[in-house]
Amino acid sequence: MKLTSKLLTAAVLLTASASAMAHPGHTEGGFTSGLLHPMLGLDHLLAMAAIGFWSVRQSKLMKNATPAFVIGGMVVGAALAWAGLTMPGVETGITFSVLVAGILIATLAKLPTAVGGTLVGAFMLFHGFAHGAEMPEGATLAGYLAGFSIATLAITLAGRGLGSLMLKADSRFSRGVGGVLAVAGAYLAAA
């Protein structure tokens, strides 16, 4: 089994297991809440999957570093929220991340690692801030952080798996996926 297939399978299993743990009484100190948070918001799902999808066509360094940029931005954003700081335009930044990621995919844009990594980290800063600000009362910080980190990686790797599959197809399919994501991002921004 190829690495991409293994990663995609792992991401699907992680995502599927979250619904099994979503029963009352299985709060796991915040782990389940953290695990479900990125999966229950369409904007979060689309942005993280899109970044994974886009990363496939980037340089080897950018492709390999994307999960670190994603998690790094998420953790810093959540830490800002937990420190009681404010961040203006969080929802705008989240929807903008979907729109821009869609455009990057649609145009088959390749960015230098410094630019791409900064962009991904900045996008995830907004997502992380939202996750941190919306941590349920009584949830443990470590459990919640572990949950949303695992979910974020699973969604990003699932997007990467789909992007890898699309590399074998006509690039118009990838462009179409990017176009749909850009339209979804524009719709979310307008809503």
Side-chain angles (χ1 to χ4, degrees):
M1 186 183 265
K2 287 185 175 180
L3 178 61
T4 302
S5 298
K6 288 179 184 178
L7 291 174
L8 185 57
T9 301
V12 169
L13 290 174
L14 277 172
T15 304
S17 70
S19 62
M21 296 187 323
H23 309 281
H26 288 274
T27 59
E28 304 299 325
F31 178 78
T32 302
S33 296
L35 192 68
L36 292 175
H37 193 270
M39 293 186 215
L40 296 178
L42 181 62
D43 48 1
H44 296 302
L45 272 172
L46 292 176
M48 293 166 199
I51 288 169
F53 190 103
W54 169 78
S55 72
V56 171
R57 293 186 184 268
Q58 302 310 298
S59 70
K60 185 176 181 179
L61 177 59
M62 181 63 204
K63 179 180 173 183
N64 292 336
T66 295
F69 292 133
V70 168
I71 292 299
M74 291 284 289
V75 170
V76 170
L80 293 173
W82 293 329
L85 300 174
T86 59
M87 179 180 274
V90 171
E91 289 303 317
T92 302
I94 290 170
T95 57
F96 189 67
S97 69
V98 177
L99 173 66
V100 173
I103 291 169
L104 291 172
I105 293 168
T107 60
L108 305 177
K110 292 186 179 185
L111 299 177
T113 301
V115 175
T118 301
L119 190 62
V120 169
F123 286 160
M124 291 300 104
L125 193 71
F126 289 106
H127 289 269
F129 190 90
H131 290 327
E134 296 168 7
M135 184 171 88
E137 188 174 325
T140 63
L141 187 115
Y144 187 71
L145 176 64
F148 80 66
S149 295
I150 289 169
T152 297
L153 282 175
I155 296 165
T156 303
L157 293 176
R160 180 181 285 186
L162 180 60
S164 294
L165 292 173
M166 297 297 274
L167 282 175
K168 298 172 184 156
D170 187 319
S171 66
R172 289 179 289 186
F173 292 117
S174 290
R175 290 178 184 274
V177 167
V180 169
L181 286 166
V183 169
Y187 174 78
L188 290 169

